[in-house]
Amino acid sequence: MVQADPSGRSRRDCGCIWSRINLDFVRIFLLWFVIVFYTLFGAAVFSALERPSELEAHCKWNRQLAEFVQDHQVPLEDLRELLGHYEGAIAAGIQMEPRTPRWDFSGAFYFVATVVSTIGFGMAAPATLNGKIFLIFYGLIGCATTLLFYNLFLERMITLITFLTRRCRKQKQRTKLSKKHIVSHLNTQPENGDGLEEDWKPSVYYVTLILATVTLLVNCGASGLYSTMEDWSYPESMYFCFVAFSTMGFGDMVSGQKAHYEARWVYQIANSLMIILGVSCTYSLFSVTAIIIKQMLNWVLSKLFSLHCCRSQGCCSVAGLKVKEPADQQIQNTSNHPGICHVVKASHPCKCASTAVETVCQSLDTANSCPTFEHEIRDSEKLPKCDAEKEVFSAVGKNCHRHHHLQEDMRTVKLSNQQQQDININAKPIL
Amino acid sequence: MVQADPSGRSRRDCGCIWSRINLDFVRIFLLWFVIVFYTLFGAAVFSALERPSELEAHCKWNRQLAEFVQDHQVPLEDLRELLGHYEGAIAAGIQMEPRTPRWDFSGAFYFVATVVSTIGFGMAAPATLNGKIFLIFYGLIGCATTLLFYNLFLERMITLITFLTRRCRKQKQRTKLSKKHIVSHLNTQPENGDGLEEDWKPSVYYVTLILATVTLLVNCGASGLYSTMEDWSYPESMYFCFVAFSTMGFGDMVSGQKAHYEARWVYQIANSLMIILGVSCTYSLFSVTAIIIKQMLNWVLSKLFSLHCCRSQGCCSVAGLKVKEPADQQIQNTSNHPGICHVVKASHPCKCASTAVETVCQSLDTANSCPTFEHEIRDSEKLPKCDAEKEVFSAVGKNCHRHHHLQEDMRTVKLSNQQQQDININAKPIL
């Protein structure tokens, strides 16, 4: 029985706890645990990699300090006091190797750029209270504006990738046709071929791959620039690029800080452009990768759901998830909710009731089997938002005439959820 | 004449350059100029605020160094060499005031948390080449996962705000009704009242205001914690919270770095929770603020467009913008493209052909005037995506039978654009 359940719970009551849980919350908690375990794993690896180096650095410094004290007969306490002063001086931009001023106009411009982009190298930071207070208000608007820029850039990138991949595909199809058919046949065929391919969209994997390639190329180009200008090794430059472009900005390595460069202005402009391009590309890559991660979470949830609940009771269609269901049940569902392609057990063919998932169904017909995980994701990616939303609306409207304002909540949650799925790529139905 | 124009150009050819320009590109370039000017302004202010302090710090350090050399008769060159070594030692986590180890497990965990959240304080950074290479691959997955977490958090926040504000509104309406009507009338009325309010959604300003309040409260709470535990002043703690929560993470101030704290573990857990909550709230605030900024950009573009092009020639309906148009033209358009509310000159009433913008139209009827900027934004925010997409599809389908694959591009661009408008809030139709 399908039920109106508040707060985005699954619609079909199959008598198990999974059907009563708000899956949006389950998803965020699952993601939370993934992050915690990933962090623990990272901490273990970094601790193993860096701890010996830290201990060695400590030993080395203690030895250098002791040697200096012994050689020059300086009281250790006085020297420690001087070093304490030096820590403060470093925070104000003083280093033994001459550096550019932190707070002349060009220095302040670089600082501000790291603020609005949220890189925050920390090579400069406001020391005065007025500067600190101003930073809060300034950063609030600046960071939001730059976030919008990143999103617009991502949207432009996806539009471009869609346009280019579609053209390539058409070109390939034309070439294929020209090999198969005679010239007279070709004169009428290609236009129809174009028409058939209007709805084709690159998969999220394809977009991710292209974005990863573009980001890698930008990283490599920028690394070449920095290794030449900053006297860093190429791997060190790659590390700097990743840290800067991902907006971590540790500040252990910062470009453009030397007092003297050849062709200073040219380098500064190239540096700025590289950082803008790099950050925008990396943000785009993170955003599309986030979609894949979300699809993986959905897959895990659907597996858990089908494992614990659906084997014998035939419940299905949990918000945003695709789960197994018996074929008879499925046919009934697809007729009720057009546009939803249900994944069934290997013995049953996949049924689709809408042209919206035509390409996926075609690929399934061709393969003569049910979709793999990759197919599931691609199917989900290609499902137009409007149809998916309608499905949610109709399901709620048809089955839940009681609990009127709770229905609305459910609808809200489902909508948000569906939108969230789209948001990370900014143009999901394209994919 | 409405034309099929590639790459998301405006559909109506009114003979001026604005109708031939890709408005998505105009928007991103306008935003780019805004960011550049905002950065220049920030650079000027920060330079004025911080430059005197920097010069003073330099003078102070030079004096301290000279005094030390004079007092202890140490060769300046040897001392400078020692200070150079000390810079390296600081990078490895050595400071005169005792600090926690950088790369024991808890230190590495804190470091990794600043990596995946992209805060990147820089109090620790991998010194070994292996650590640097591992960071690139580790950060790529980690940052994408955390970006997904921020987005899911934002979606949950908006769902919660929508739910709560809707309940408050219903409660208010019930109270209002109970004052106006007799008890017997009340027994039948409220349910209908509820039904009428099902479509009500809080405006983007309202959501921004609530998120700003929540973020401020989290900042204040965290600042109280840090000012107690870290011996920072309250404004300094507020500055640290903003820098950390906005993921800038300069590293000039880092929490949890002292060797000794009272109730160390409790503080570390509270510190972690505060940073997670703070970053998530601040990201949400930036995201909704970005929507307001985008609406402002659209408003500027619509003003530019109407100023340069539409006064005499009656062109309208540029992708994602609302522009002025003569009333007769407008009526024709609204019948063709249901769901779009055109803003007309002050002498003409606003026409809407869809219930989708009912609330906005109602407010306009009440005000008996055309929408203000605020109304425009609210209207745009409330326009359901499906209707807006349909409008684009139908416009393209009806008017552009030539240039088949260019139509598709246009459709793609319009869709992306519409989605982009939604993305930043992850649940735009809710608003």
Side-chain angles (χ1 to χ4, degrees):
Chain A
M1 198 187 106
V2 181
Q3 277 196 340
D5 210 1
S7 319
R9 290 177 197 169
S10 66
R11 295 194 308 278
R12 191 174 295 272
D13 183 5
C14 55
C16 78
I17 195 159
W18 281 92
S19 68
R20 300 172 199 283
I21 289 172
N22 184 319
L23 276 161
D24 297 315
F25 279 111
V26 175
R27 190 183 290 112
I28 203 167
F29 279 116
L30 183 62
L31 183 63
W32 174 243
F33 281 111
V34 168
I35 292 172
V36 168
F37 281 104
Y38 191 72
T39 315
L40 288 170
F41 159 70
V45 175
F46 276 109
S47 183
L49 288 173
E50 298 295 329
R51 186 69 174 150
S53 158
E54 184 188 25
L55 293 173
E56 197 184 315
H58 274 252
C59 289
K60 191 179 164 189
W61 167 245
N62 287 335
R63 201 173 54 243
Q64 284 165 338
L65 189 66
E67 277 173 12
F68 186 87
V69 169
Q70 199 174 0
D71 289 353
H72 299 93
Q73 297 296 318
V74 180
L76 186 61
E77 275 313 301
D78 289 4
L79 192 55
R80 290 180 71 87
E81 194 186 335
L82 180 79
L83 294 173
H85 293 318
Y86 189 53
E87 282 170 19
I90 287 174
I94 292 156
Q95 284 198 325
M96 284 305 108
E97 197 182 331
R99 300 266 159 160
T100 53
R102 296 296 197 245
W103 295 111
D104 63 343
F105 187 80
S106 70
F109 186 83
Y110 197 17
F111 164 74
V112 165
T114 69
V115 167
V116 296
S117 62
T118 75
I119 296 176
F121 282 124
M123 77 290 182
T128 65
L129 189 61
N130 287 341
K132 285 175 180 178
I133 292 168
F134 179 70
L135 181 94
I136 295 174
F137 295 99
Y138 182 83
L140 198 64
I141 308 293
C143 295
T145 312
T146 319
L147 184 63
L148 177 61
F149 179 79
Y150 296 154
N151 280 325
L152 290 183
F153 180 89
L154 167 61
E155 179 240 325
R156 294 286 82 205
M157 281 296 282
I158 289 173
T159 305
L160 184 68
I161 290 169
T162 307
F163 176 76
L164 292 177
T165 49
R166 198 174 281 156
R167 277 195 89 146
C168 286
R169 199 178 151 89
K170 276 179 186 168
Q171 200 63 43
K172 269 186 191 170
Q173 281 190 329
R174 279 201 197 98
T175 321
K176 222 174 178 178
L177 276 172
S178 69
K179 280 179 186 169
K180 281 185 181 171
H181 300 286
I182 53 167
V183 179
S184 61
H185 191 72
L186 264 175
N187 290 336
T188 55
Q189 201 65 16
E191 219 167 316
N192 293 336
D194 283 359
L196 281 171
E197 286 303 311
E198 284 304 313
D199 288 334
W200 184 85
K201 290 128 196 170
S203 80
V204 69
Y205 297 116
Y206 201 59
V207 173
T208 309
L209 190 69
I210 293 173
L211 274 174
T213 312
V214 171
T215 310
L216 185 67
L217 287 175
V218 172
N219 264 264
C220 289
S223 300
L225 177 76
Y226 294 127
S227 60
T228 312
M229 300 299 287
E230 302 285 349
D231 299 327
W232 297 333
S233 71
Y234 197 82
E236 273 182 338
S237 300
M238 284 287 280
Y239 160 78
F240 164 75
C241 287
F242 180 77
V243 168
F245 299 168
S246 61
T247 76
M248 288 175 208
F250 294 139
D252 55 338
M253 296 168 78
V254 185
S255 60
Q257 294 301 296
K258 283 187 191 173
H260 303 289
Y261 288 104
E262 280 179 38
R264 183 175 190 82
W265 284 102
V266 178
Y267 174 58
Q268 277 189 337
I269 291 166
N271 182 27
S272 308
L273 289 177
M274 278 296 172
I275 288 179
I276 294 156
L277 193 63
V279 173
S280 304
C281 286
T282 310
Y283 177 83
S284 302
L285 182 62
F286 285 165
S287 297
V288 290
T289 311
I291 292 178
I292 296 178
I293 294 166
K294 189 173 184 197
Q295 295 294 344
M296 284 176 175
L297 285 180
N298 284 350
W299 182 77
V300 170
L301 284 177
S302 75
K303 288 289 165 194
L304 282 173
F305 183 77
S306 62
L307 200 72
H308 284 86
C309 184
C310 295
R311 258 180 300 191
S312 58
Q313 301 183 55
C315 58
C316 59
S317 290
V318 178
L321 301 178
K322 285 184 173 54
V323 292
K324 291 175 180 179
E325 59 175 329
D328 57 334
Q329 190 73 45
Q330 172 213 350
I331 291 159
Q332 186 197 323
N333 275 331
T334 45
S335 62
N336 281 344
H337 314 310
I340 295 295
C341 175
H342 292 284
V343 180
V344 294
K345 286 171 189 166
S347 57
H348 299 107
C350 184
K351 305 279 182 185
C352 299
S354 163
T355 54
V357 283
E358 197 182 3
T359 50
V360 180
C361 295
Q362 279 169 349
S363 72
L364 295 179
D365 287 343
T366 316
N368 201 20
S369 65
C370 262
T372 58
F373 173 41
E374 189 176 342
H375 280 127
E376 277 186 49
I377 289 171
R378 202 177 299 170
D379 167 26
S380 166
E381 287 304 317
K382 283 182 177 171
L383 193 69
K385 181 177 260 173
C386 288
D387 283 355
E389 281 176 6
K390 270 185 208 154
E391 190 271 340
V392 174
F393 280 123
S394 66
V396 175
K398 278 178 186 167
N399 302 300
C400 323
H401 296 295
R402 294 167 305 165
H403 313 297
H404 211 227
H405 65 276
L406 291 179
Q407 278 173 38
E408 181 64 24
D409 287 330
M410 185 182 168
R411 197 164 73 175
T412 305
V413 172
K414 297 283 166 58
L415 275 173
S416 320
N417 193 27
Q418 179 65 28
Q419 284 144 13
Q420 177 55 37
Q421 209 152 338
D422 299 349
I423 282 151
N424 302 305
I425 199 156
N426 285 15
K428 183 196 163 192
I430 294 172
L431 300 179
Chain B
M1 198 186 106
V2 181
Q3 280 195 338
D5 211 1
S7 320
R9 290 175 196 169
S10 65
R11 295 192 307 276
R12 190 172 296 271
D13 183 4
C14 55
C16 78
I17 195 160
W18 280 93
S19 68
R20 299 172 200 282
I21 289 173
N22 184 319
L23 276 160
D24 296 315
F25 279 111
V26 175
R27 190 183 291 113
I28 202 167
F29 279 114
L30 182 62
L31 183 63
W32 174 241
F33 281 112
V34 167
I35 291 172
V36 169
F37 281 105
Y38 191 72
T39 315
L40 287 170
F41 159 71
V45 174
F46 276 109
S47 184
L49 287 173
E50 297 296 327
R51 186 68 175 148
S53 158
E54 183 188 24
L55 293 173
E56 195 184 315
H58 275 253
C59 289
K60 191 178 165 191
W61 167 245
N62 287 334
R63 200 171 57 243
Q64 283 167 337
L65 189 67
E67 275 173 13
F68 186 87
V69 169
Q70 200 175 1
D71 290 353
H72 299 93
Q73 296 298 316
V74 180
L76 186 61
E77 275 312 300
D78 289 3
L79 192 56
R80 289 180 70 86
E81 195 186 334
L82 180 78
L83 293 172
H85 292 318
Y86 190 53
E87 282 170 20
I90 287 174
I94 291 156
Q95 285 198 327
M96 284 305 108
E97 195 182 333
R99 299 266 158 160
T100 53
R102 294 297 197 246
W103 296 109
D104 63 343
F105 188 79
S106 70
F109 186 81
Y110 197 17
F111 163 75
V112 165
T114 70
V115 167
V116 296
S117 62
T118 77
I119 295 175
F121 282 124
M123 77 290 184
T128 64
L129 188 61
N130 287 340
K132 285 174 182 179
I133 292 167
F134 179 69
L135 181 94
I136 295 175
F137 295 98
Y138 182 83
L140 197 65
I141 308 293
C143 295
T145 312
T146 320
L147 184 64
L148 177 62
F149 179 80
Y150 296 155
N151 280 324
L152 290 183
F153 181 88
L154 167 62
E155 179 241 325
R156 294 286 84 205
M157 280 296 282
I158 290 173
T159 306
L160 184 68
I161 290 170
T162 307
F163 176 77
L164 292 177
T165 49
R166 196 175 282 154
R167 278 195 87 146
C168 285
R169 200 178 150 88
K170 275 180 186 168
Q171 200 62 44
K172 270 186 190 170
Q173 281 189 329
R174 280 203 196 98
T175 319
K176 221 174 179 179
L177 275 173
S178 70
K179 280 180 186 168
K180 281 186 180 172
H181 300 285
I182 54 167
V183 179
S184 61
H185 191 71
L186 264 174
N187 289 337
T188 55
Q189 200 66 15
E191 219 168 311
N192 293 336
D194 283 1
L196 281 171
E197 286 303 311
E198 284 304 313
D199 287 335
W200 184 85
K201 291 127 196 170
S203 82
V204 70
Y205 297 116
Y206 200 59
V207 173
T208 310
L209 189 71
I210 293 172
L211 274 174
T213 312
V214 170
T215 310
L216 185 68
L217 287 175
V218 172
N219 264 265
C220 289
S223 300
L225 177 76
Y226 294 128
S227 60
T228 311
M229 300 298 287
E230 302 285 348
D231 298 327
W232 296 334
S233 71
Y234 198 82
E236 273 183 335
S237 299
M238 284 288 278
Y239 159 79
F240 164 76
C241 286
F242 180 76
V243 168
F245 298 168
S246 62
T247 76
M248 289 176 208
F250 294 138
D252 54 338
M253 296 167 78
V254 185
S255 59
Q257 294 301 295
K258 283 186 190 174
H260 303 289
Y261 288 104
E262 281 178 37
R264 183 174 188 84
W265 283 102
V266 178
Y267 174 58
Q268 278 189 337
I269 291 167
N271 182 27
S272 307
L273 289 178
M274 278 296 173
I275 289 180
I276 293 156
L277 193 63
V279 173
S280 304
C281 286
T282 310
Y283 177 84
S284 302
L285 181 61
F286 286 164
S287 297
V288 290
T289 311
I291 293 178
I292 295 177
I293 294 166
K294 189 171 184 199
Q295 296 294 343
M296 284 176 176
L297 284 180
N298 283 350
W299 182 77
V300 170
L301 283 177
S302 74
K303 289 288 165 195
L304 282 172
F305 182 78
S306 62
L307 200 72
H308 284 86
C309 184
C310 295
R311 259 181 300 192
S312 58
Q313 301 181 56
C315 58
C316 59
S317 291
V318 177
L321 299 178
K322 287 187 172 51
V323 293
K324 292 173 180 181
E325 60 176 327
D328 57 336
Q329 190 73 47
Q330 173 215 349
I331 290 159
Q332 186 198 322
N333 274 330
T334 45
S335 62
N336 281 343
H337 314 308
I340 294 295
C341 176
H342 292 284
V343 180
V344 296
K345 286 170 188 168
S347 57
H348 300 107
C350 183
K351 305 279 182 184
C352 299
S354 164
T355 54
V357 283
E358 196 181 2
T359 49
V360 180
C361 293
Q362 282 170 344
S363 73
L364 295 179
D365 286 342
T366 315
N368 201 19
S369 65
C370 264
T372 59
F373 173 40
E374 191 176 342
H375 281 125
E376 279 186 48
I377 289 172
R378 205 176 299 172
D379 168 25
S380 168
E381 287 302 316
K382 285 182 177 171
L383 192 70
K385 181 177 260 176
C386 287
D387 283 356
E389 281 177 4
K390 270 186 211 155
E391 190 271 339
V392 174
F393 280 124
S394 66
V396 175
K398 278 178 188 168
N399 302 298
C400 322
H401 295 296
R402 294 166 305 163
H403 313 297
H404 212 227
H405 66 274
L406 292 179
Q407 278 173 36
E408 182 62 24
D409 287 330
M410 185 181 167
R411 198 165 75 175
T412 305
V413 172
K414 297 282 165 59
L415 276 172
S416 319
N417 193 28
Q418 179 66 26
Q419 284 144 11
Q420 177 56 37
Q421 210 153 339
D422 300 348
I423 282 151
N424 301 304
I425 201 157
N426 285 17
K428 182 195 162 194
I430 294 173
L431 301 178

